[in-house]
Amino acid sequence: MIRVAYGLRSDGQVVGGPKWISRQAFDIQAKVDDSEAAKMRGMTDEQRDHEWNAMLRSLLADQFGLRMQNEERTLPVYALVVAKSGAKLTKSPVGETAHGIPVQTAPRSGDTVMTATTVAMSELAVHLSRMSESDNRLVVDRTGLEGTYDFQLK
């Protein structure tokens, strides 16, 4: 929730806090009043995301006493790069609508399969940053690849 509220891309960007912060889970029920919901319906997606995040930050401060301190730190990251042999991705057809990145685990082999349709490399980097396999490291896009691609990763 902290990552989302503050627009962070990786849980590894949240440093410090009480010991329970990564061990304890909570069920939170909250409701936006009707006038606020009506105001948000007239917003752009970006404005609405900004408003939701502000409300979430307020909830975290009010209900959990969360106080944040922004600072710059050097943290380890992973870089998404093109192999020396070149990219082996299929460029998405022009005009195709993004489908996202569903991740599934194969029932027999236990392999994790990521199937992506019409995904930009910057989106893939964000997605990889949020996966447990990234060890809470931020994944940065250093591919230089423009456009969107269709691919499958195992």
Side-chain angles (χ1 to χ4, degrees):
M1 286 180 62
I2 294 169
R3 179 183 48 77
V4 171
Y6 286 89
L8 304 174
R9 290 183 34 207
S10 167
D11 288 343
Q13 291 177 284
V14 178
V15 179
K19 292 179 181 179
W20 58 261
I21 203 165
S22 61
R23 292 189 215 145
Q24 195 167 351
F26 297 90
D27 291 327
I28 297 174
Q29 293 181 354
K31 183 180 183 315
V32 175
D33 64 42
D34 293 339
S35 63
E36 186 70 23
K39 182 176 93 172
M40 290 177 73
R41 278 192 285 278
M43 296 178 175
T44 65
D45 289 345
E46 187 175 325
Q47 292 169 326
R48 193 171 27 261
D49 287 348
H50 184 267
E51 189 69 19
W52 276 116
N53 290 351
M55 288 189 288
L56 186 52
R57 288 190 299 270
S58 177
L59 179 142
L60 290 169
D62 294 345
Q63 298 299 312
F64 296 95
L66 180 68
R67 293 187 314 265
M68 292 294 291
Q69 175 181 328
N70 291 322
E71 61 183 59
E72 280 192 32
R73 287 192 179 205
T74 301
L75 298 172
V77 299
Y78 288 119
L80 183 62
V81 299
V82 176
K84 291 178 183 176
S85 59
K88 295 178 178 78
L89 301 169
T90 303
K91 196 126 171 125
S92 301
V94 176
E96 189 173 326
T97 306
H99 295 284
I101 310 176
V103 178
Q104 299 174 338
T105 302
R108 290 191 183 144
S109 66
D111 291 338
T112 300
V113 178
M114 177 188 300
T115 304
T117 306
T118 317
V119 172
M121 291 298 101
S122 59
E123 293 173 72
L124 176 60
V126 168
H127 188 80
L128 293 172
S129 295
R130 294 181 179 154
M131 294 181 70
S132 60
E133 291 84 354
S134 73
D135 196 28
N136 287 323
R137 290 185 185 195
L138 186 65
V139 177
V140 293
D141 174 22
R142 296 287 187 252
T143 63
L145 298 173
E146 299 292 326
T148 60
Y149 297 85
D150 301 340
F151 54 90
Q152 187 176 72
L153 299 175
K154 292 184 180 181

